[in-house]
PDB file of all heavy atoms in Angstrom:
ATOM      1  N   LEU A  26     -18.358  39.742  41.232  1.00 93.00           N
ATOM      2  CA  LEU A  26     -16.993  39.346  41.597  1.00 93.00           C
ATOM      3  C   LEU A  26     -16.515  40.194  42.767  1.00 93.00           C
ATOM      4  O   LEU A  26     -17.024  41.289  43.003  1.00 93.00           O
ATOM      5  CB  LEU A  26     -16.048  39.545  40.412  1.00 93.00           C
ATOM      6  CG  LEU A  26     -16.182  38.590  39.231  1.00 93.00           C
ATOM      7  CD1 LEU A  26     -15.134  38.925  38.178  1.00 93.00           C
ATOM      8  CD2 LEU A  26     -16.015  37.144  39.682  1.00 93.00           C
ATOM      9  N   PRO A  27     -15.512  39.711  43.490  1.00 93.00           N
ATOM     10  CA  PRO A  27     -14.917  40.532  44.554  1.00 93.00           C
ATOM     11  C   PRO A  27     -14.414  41.858  43.966  1.00 93.00           C
ATOM     12  O   PRO A  27     -14.125  41.954  42.771  1.00 93.00           O
ATOM     13  CB  PRO A  27     -13.737  39.679  45.033  1.00 93.00           C
ATOM     14  CG  PRO A  27     -14.069  38.288  44.633  1.00 93.00           C
ATOM     15  CD  PRO A  27     -14.895  38.379  43.408  1.00 93.00           C
ATOM     16  N   SER A  28     -14.284  42.836  44.823  1.00 92.00           N
ATOM     17  CA  SER A  28     -13.819  44.150  44.362  1.00 92.00           C
ATOM     18  C   SER A  28     -12.368  44.076  43.901  1.00 92.00           C
ATOM     19  O   SER A  28     -11.648  43.125  44.231  1.00 92.00           O
ATOM     20  CB  SER A  28     -13.926  45.165  45.495  1.00 92.00           C
ATOM     21  OG  SER A  28     -12.942  44.819  46.466  1.00 92.00           O
ATOM     22  N   ILE A  29     -11.974  45.115  43.195  1.00 93.00           N
ATOM     23  CA  ILE A  29     -10.596  45.151  42.708  1.00 93.00           C
ATOM     24  C   ILE A  29      -9.604  45.083  43.866  1.00 93.00           C
ATOM     25  O   ILE A  29      -8.612  44.353  43.822  1.00 93.00           O
ATOM     26  CB  ILE A  29     -10.364  46.444  41.897  1.00 93.00           C
ATOM     27  CG1 ILE A  29     -11.186  46.355  40.598  1.00 93.00           C
ATOM     28  CG2 ILE A  29      -8.888  46.628  41.557  1.00 93.00           C
ATOM     29  CD1 ILE A  29     -11.110  47.586  39.743  1.00 93.00           C
ATOM     30  N   ARG A  30      -9.904  45.803  44.887  1.00 93.00           N
ATOM     31  CA  ARG A  30      -9.004  45.812  46.038  1.00 93.00           C
ATOM     32  C   ARG A  30      -8.875  44.399  46.617  1.00 93.00           C
ATOM     33  O   ARG A  30      -7.777  43.907  46.875  1.00 93.00           O
ATOM     34  CB  ARG A  30      -9.540  46.793  47.097  1.00 93.00           C
ATOM     35  CG  ARG A  30      -8.555  47.055  48.246  1.00 93.00           C
ATOM     36  CD  ARG A  30      -8.905  48.341  48.982  1.00 93.00           C
ATOM     37  NE  ARG A  30      -9.020  49.484  48.086  1.00 93.00           N
ATOM     38  CZ  ARG A  30      -7.980  50.246  47.730  1.00 93.00           C
ATOM     39  NH1 ARG A  30      -6.787  49.989  48.193  1.00 93.00           N
ATOM     40  NH2 ARG A  30      -8.171  51.282  46.914  1.00 93.00           N
ATOM     41  N   THR A  31     -10.017  43.750  46.821  1.00 94.00           N
ATOM     42  CA  THR A  31      -9.983  42.382  47.362  1.00 94.00           C
ATOM     43  C   THR A  31      -9.181  41.448  46.459  1.00 94.00           C
ATOM     44  O   THR A  31      -8.365  40.662  46.919  1.00 94.00           O
ATOM     45  CB  THR A  31     -11.424  41.820  47.494  1.00 94.00           C
ATOM     46  OG1 THR A  31     -12.242  42.826  48.066  1.00 94.00           O
ATOM     47  CG2 THR A  31     -11.449  40.554  48.319  1.00 94.00           C
ATOM     48  N   LEU A  32      -9.432  41.568  45.167  1.00 94.00           N
ATOM     49  CA  LEU A  32      -8.705  40.705  44.228  1.00 94.00           C
ATOM     50  C   LEU A  32      -7.204  40.964  44.296  1.00 94.00           C
ATOM     51  O   LEU A  32      -6.392  40.031  44.253  1.00 94.00           O
ATOM     52  CB  LEU A  32      -9.202  40.927  42.796  1.00 94.00           C
ATOM     53  CG  LEU A  32     -10.574  40.328  42.449  1.00 94.00           C
ATOM     54  CD1 LEU A  32     -11.044  40.818  41.073  1.00 94.00           C
ATOM     55  CD2 LEU A  32     -10.533  38.805  42.470  1.00 94.00           C
ATOM     56  N   SER A  33      -6.834  42.219  44.394  1.00 94.00           N
ATOM     57  CA  SER A  33      -5.395  42.537  44.418  1.00 94.00           C
ATOM     58  C   SER A  33      -4.732  41.954  45.656  1.00 94.00           C
ATOM     59  O   SER A  33      -3.616  41.448  45.599  1.00 94.00           O
ATOM     60  CB  SER A  33      -5.167  44.050  44.317  1.00 94.00           C
ATOM     61  OG  SER A  33      -5.291  44.660  45.598  1.00 94.00           O
ATOM     62  N   GLN A  34      -5.459  41.990  46.779  1.00 94.00           N
ATOM     63  CA  GLN A  34      -4.893  41.397  48.002  1.00 94.00           C
ATOM     64  C   GLN A  34      -4.808  39.879  47.878  1.00 94.00           C
ATOM     65  O   GLN A  34      -3.791  39.257  48.158  1.00 94.00           O
ATOM     66  CB  GLN A  34      -5.765  41.774  49.208  1.00 94.00           C
ATOM     67  CG  GLN A  34      -5.496  43.193  49.679  1.00 94.00           C
ATOM     68  CD  GLN A  34      -6.588  43.689  50.610  1.00 94.00           C
ATOM     69  OE1 GLN A  34      -7.529  42.967  50.927  1.00 94.00           O
ATOM     70  NE2 GLN A  34      -6.443  44.937  51.059  1.00 94.00           N
ATOM     71  N   GLU A  35      -5.923  39.318  47.410  1.00 93.00           N
ATOM     72  CA  GLU A  35      -6.000  37.858  47.313  1.00 93.00           C
ATOM     73  C   GLU A  35      -4.889  37.292  46.427  1.00 93.00           C
ATOM     74  O   GLU A  35      -4.293  36.266  46.740  1.00 93.00           O
ATOM     75  CB  GLU A  35      -7.367  37.483  46.724  1.00 93.00           C
ATOM     76  CG  GLU A  35      -7.687  36.018  46.828  1.00 93.00           C
ATOM     77  CD  GLU A  35      -9.055  35.724  46.189  1.00 93.00           C
ATOM     78  OE1 GLU A  35      -9.828  36.699  45.967  1.00 93.00           O
ATOM     79  OE2 GLU A  35      -9.327  34.559  45.899  1.00 93.00           O
ATOM     80  N   HIS A  36      -4.617  37.975  45.292  1.00 93.00           N
ATOM     81  CA  HIS A  36      -3.613  37.457  44.363  1.00 93.00           C
ATOM     82  C   HIS A  36      -2.262  38.108  44.551  1.00 93.00           C
ATOM     83  O   HIS A  36      -1.328  37.841  43.775  1.00 93.00           O
ATOM     84  CB  HIS A  36      -4.098  37.653  42.924  1.00 93.00           C
ATOM     85  CG  HIS A  36      -5.315  36.847  42.602  1.00 93.00           C
ATOM     86  ND1 HIS A  36      -5.282  35.504  42.324  1.00 93.00           N
ATOM     87  CD2 HIS A  36      -6.638  37.191  42.572  1.00 93.00           C
ATOM     88  CE1 HIS A  36      -6.502  35.044  42.096  1.00 93.00           C
ATOM     89  NE2 HIS A  36      -7.350  36.073  42.257  1.00 93.00           N
ATOM     90  N   ASP A  37      -2.185  38.955  45.517  1.00 94.00           N
ATOM     91  CA  ASP A  37      -0.925  39.588  45.843  1.00 94.00           C
ATOM     92  C   ASP A  37      -0.323  40.336  44.649  1.00 94.00           C
ATOM     93  O   ASP A  37       0.850  40.149  44.303  1.00 94.00           O
ATOM     94  CB  ASP A  37       0.077  38.523  46.361  1.00 94.00           C
ATOM     95  CG  ASP A  37       1.230  39.180  47.127  1.00 94.00           C
ATOM     96  OD1 ASP A  37       1.093  40.360  47.478  1.00 94.00           O
ATOM     97  OD2 ASP A  37       2.252  38.488  47.316  1.00 94.00           O
ATOM     98  N   VAL A  38      -1.181  41.174  44.027  1.00 95.00           N
ATOM     99  CA  VAL A  38      -0.699  42.027  42.930  1.00 95.00           C
ATOM    100  C   VAL A  38      -1.180  43.451  43.161  1.00 95.00           C
ATOM    101  O   VAL A  38      -2.023  43.707  44.035  1.00 95.00           O
ATOM    102  CB  VAL A  38      -1.215  41.546  41.544  1.00 95.00           C
ATOM    103  CG1 VAL A  38      -0.615  40.194  41.185  1.00 95.00           C
ATOM    104  CG2 VAL A  38      -2.742  41.494  41.546  1.00 95.00           C
ATOM    105  N   SER A  39      -0.673  44.365  42.373  1.00 95.00           N
ATOM    106  CA  SER A  39      -1.085  45.753  42.536  1.00 95.00           C
ATOM    107  C   SER A  39      -2.536  45.935  42.107  1.00 95.00           C
ATOM    108  O   SER A  39      -3.083  45.109  41.367  1.00 95.00           O
ATOM    109  CB  SER A  39      -0.196  46.672  41.707  1.00 95.00           C
ATOM    110  OG  SER A  39      -0.495  46.475  40.336  1.00 95.00           O
ATOM    111  N   VAL A  40      -3.133  47.007  42.562  1.00 94.00           N
ATOM    112  CA  VAL A  40      -4.516  47.307  42.196  1.00 94.00           C
ATOM    113  C   VAL A  40      -4.638  47.466  40.679  1.00 94.00           C
ATOM    114  O   VAL A  40      -5.588  46.994  40.061  1.00 94.00           O
ATOM    115  CB  VAL A  40      -4.986  48.596  42.916  1.00 94.00           C
ATOM    116  CG1 VAL A  40      -6.305  49.103  42.310  1.00 94.00           C
ATOM    117  CG2 VAL A  40      -5.160  48.338  44.403  1.00 94.00           C
ATOM    118  N   SER A  41      -3.645  48.081  40.080  1.00 95.00           N
ATOM    119  CA  SER A  41      -3.767  48.324  38.631  1.00 95.00           C
ATOM    120  C   SER A  41      -3.674  47.011  37.840  1.00 95.00           C
ATOM    121  O   SER A  41      -4.319  46.855  36.819  1.00 95.00           O
ATOM    122  CB  SER A  41      -2.704  49.327  38.161  1.00 95.00           C
ATOM    123  OG  SER A  41      -1.503  48.664  37.877  1.00 95.00           O
ATOM    124  N   THR A  42      -2.879  46.065  38.344  1.00 95.00           N
ATOM    125  CA  THR A  42      -2.826  44.752  37.672  1.00 95.00           C
ATOM    126  C   THR A  42      -4.176  44.038  37.777  1.00 95.00           C
ATOM    127  O   THR A  42      -4.676  43.466  36.809  1.00 95.00           O
ATOM    128  CB  THR A  42      -1.720  43.870  38.284  1.00 95.00           C
ATOM    129  OG1 THR A  42      -0.474  44.534  38.137  1.00 95.00           O
ATOM    130  CG2 THR A  42      -1.633  42.519  37.585  1.00 95.00           C
ATOM    131  N   ALA A  43      -4.768  44.094  38.972  1.00 95.00           N
ATOM    132  CA  ALA A  43      -6.088  43.470  39.161  1.00 95.00           C
ATOM    133  C   ALA A  43      -7.098  44.120  38.219  1.00 95.00           C
ATOM    134  O   ALA A  43      -7.929  43.430  37.600  1.00 95.00           O
ATOM    135  CB  ALA A  43      -6.539  43.613  40.609  1.00 95.00           C
ATOM    136  N   GLN A  44      -6.973  45.413  38.043  1.00 93.00           N
ATOM    137  CA  GLN A  44      -7.888  46.142  37.179  1.00 93.00           C
ATOM    138  C   GLN A  44      -7.703  45.696  35.716  1.00 93.00           C
ATOM    139  O   GLN A  44      -8.670  45.449  35.004  1.00 93.00           O
ATOM    140  CB  GLN A  44      -7.583  47.631  37.301  1.00 93.00           C
ATOM    141  CG  GLN A  44      -8.654  48.516  36.719  1.00 93.00           C
ATOM    142  CD  GLN A  44      -8.621  49.885  37.386  1.00 93.00           C
ATOM    143  OE1 GLN A  44      -7.586  50.341  37.900  1.00 93.00           O
ATOM    144  NE2 GLN A  44      -9.777  50.553  37.433  1.00 93.00           N
ATOM    145  N   GLN A  45      -6.440  45.579  35.333  1.00 93.00           N
ATOM    146  CA  GLN A  45      -6.139  45.120  33.972  1.00 93.00           C
ATOM    147  C   GLN A  45      -6.727  43.735  33.713  1.00 93.00           C
ATOM    148  O   GLN A  45      -7.254  43.455  32.641  1.00 93.00           O
ATOM    149  CB  GLN A  45      -4.618  45.060  33.768  1.00 93.00           C
ATOM    150  CG  GLN A  45      -4.019  46.345  33.218  1.00 93.00           C
ATOM    151  CD  GLN A  45      -2.535  46.156  32.977  1.00 93.00           C
ATOM    152  OE1 GLN A  45      -1.802  45.812  33.918  1.00 93.00           O
ATOM    153  NE2 GLN A  45      -2.101  46.374  31.750  1.00 93.00           N
TER     154      GLN A  45
END
Side-chain angles (χ1 to χ4, degrees):
Chain A
L26 289 182
S28 70
I29 292 177
R30 190 161 307 273
T31 315
L32 286 171
S33 83
Q34 282 165 2
E35 192 181 344
H36 295 282
D37 198 15
V38 293
S39 71
V40 167
S41 85
T42 301
Q44 194 155 26
Q45 269 183 303

